[in-house]
Amino acid sequence: MTYHRNIFLHVVCEGKSERNYISALNRLLRDDGIALTLHSPAPRNEVEDGGGHYTDVIKRYKEICSNNRNVRPWIWADRDLYVRNERGCMDMYRKKPKGIPDFLFSIQNFEDFLVLHHSTDRVHEWVELCRERNHFAEPMLSKEYMPLLKTQFPEYKKGELPDCLSLLTNAQVENALIHSLDDRIPIKCDFIEHLADFIMRSYPGTGRPWNIIRSF
């Protein structure tokens, strides 16, 4: 089924990894006949590639809004920076002005979100590794979790998608949604849950994987 209501949605996100995921999502949505396009412009400073700190994402948010008065982008960020309060991220977020939307957090980071696309057994393996290192209370730094991530995605490199997710499937997105919505799993992704809810409200006849949101 093809839906003819075309929607163009801006997303402010941390860097190249998230933008690659959004590109994979766009291919999936297009193949499924859902006329929704997600757009996440690259920051002007390609060396830093944006980053998820509060001041960085707010700067990009305001740039997009200034160029498109009717646009209110989503903001997708890793929560680990805010739990650690790096550069005062959490302090500033708690005081954000009224016009700034609530952030859509990956808890704790984008790599945790990627794991949600695996089978339930694989997700629980990762959760146990993280619990052993107190990741959900004191998020690991990249240098700590990247070697561990080889158990899930041996070939993964920052800025790229794992090979198994480069051609994203409905089954993988369904896994991510089910696991993110499961209260027994401490890994969450506000972005994928928010997107599923948005799709179901904008295109009510849409089926799986997006209608999983209505089962929880």
Side-chain angles (χ1 to χ4, degrees):
M1 181 182 296
T2 300
Y3 302 95
H4 298 289
R5 183 188 175 200
N6 296 293
I7 299 175
F8 193 78
L9 183 64
H10 285 79
V11 183
V12 172
C13 59
E14 293 208 9
K16 189 176 178 181
S17 293
E18 288 86 352
R19 291 198 303 276
N20 283 337
Y21 185 83
I22 284 173
S23 294
L25 265 181
N26 280 332
R27 288 193 296 270
L28 185 65
L29 293 169
R30 184 173 60 248
D31 290 346
D32 286 348
I34 299 174
L36 169 65
T37 299
L38 305 170
H39 179 60
S40 182
R44 294 176 183 176
N45 189 337
E46 290 294 339
V47 176
E48 293 184 1
D49 199 27
H53 291 92
Y54 181 86
T55 52
D56 296 326
V57 294
I58 294 303
K59 180 181 178 181
R60 295 203 302 284
Y61 177 86
K62 289 181 177 179
E63 285 175 353
I64 292 173
C65 290
S66 66
N67 295 325
N68 305 270
R69 291 191 175 184
N70 296 321
V71 168
R72 288 297 176 267
W74 294 359
I75 299 175
W76 180 16
D78 288 350
R79 189 168 175 264
D80 57 352
L81 298 177
Y82 295 78
V83 175
R84 292 193 296 267
N85 199 25
E86 288 188 15
R87 286 167 41 182
C89 280
M90 184 60 82
D91 293 338
M92 289 184 283
Y93 180 70
R94 286 172 174 160
K95 297 176 183 177
K96 67 182 176 65
K98 187 177 180 180
I100 301 298
D102 290 343
F103 290 11
L104 303 175
F105 284 114
S106 293
I107 303 171
Q108 300 288 7
N109 55 48
F110 181 69
E111 284 75 17
D112 290 321
F113 167 57
L114 292 180
V115 173
L116 293 182
H117 295 75
H118 273 324
S119 67
T120 301
D121 288 346
R122 297 282 297 281
V123 172
H124 282 297
E125 288 174 5
W126 180 247
V127 168
E128 286 309 307
L129 280 175
C130 292
R131 278 184 172 145
E132 290 170 3
R133 291 157 178 83
N134 203 28
H135 179 58
F136 301 113
E138 299 177 8
M140 290 182 282
L141 298 172
S142 175
K143 64 181 181 181
E144 298 171 289
Y145 67 73
M146 282 299 289
L148 298 175
L149 200 66
K150 298 295 184 182
T151 64
Q152 296 282 332
F153 305 110
E155 79 292 352
Y156 176 65
K157 296 179 182 178
K158 280 277 190 181
E160 301 176 3
L161 290 182
D163 292 345
C164 62
L165 296 179
S166 59
L167 294 175
L168 198 62
T169 67
N170 281 319
Q172 290 170 329
V173 172
E174 185 168 324
N175 281 344
L177 274 167
I178 289 172
H179 295 139
S180 182
L181 291 162
D182 189 338
D183 290 337
R184 297 167 297 180
I185 296 174
I187 302 172
K188 308 292 176 190
C189 182
D190 297 334
F191 169 76
I192 202 68
E193 293 183 25
H194 199 65
L195 179 61
D197 182 68
F198 181 85
I199 288 173
M200 293 310 301
R201 285 186 286 108
S202 302
Y203 309 100
T206 305
R208 299 173 78 158
W210 307 107
N211 64 357
I212 293 296
I213 193 80
R214 294 185 172 172
S215 301
F216 286 81

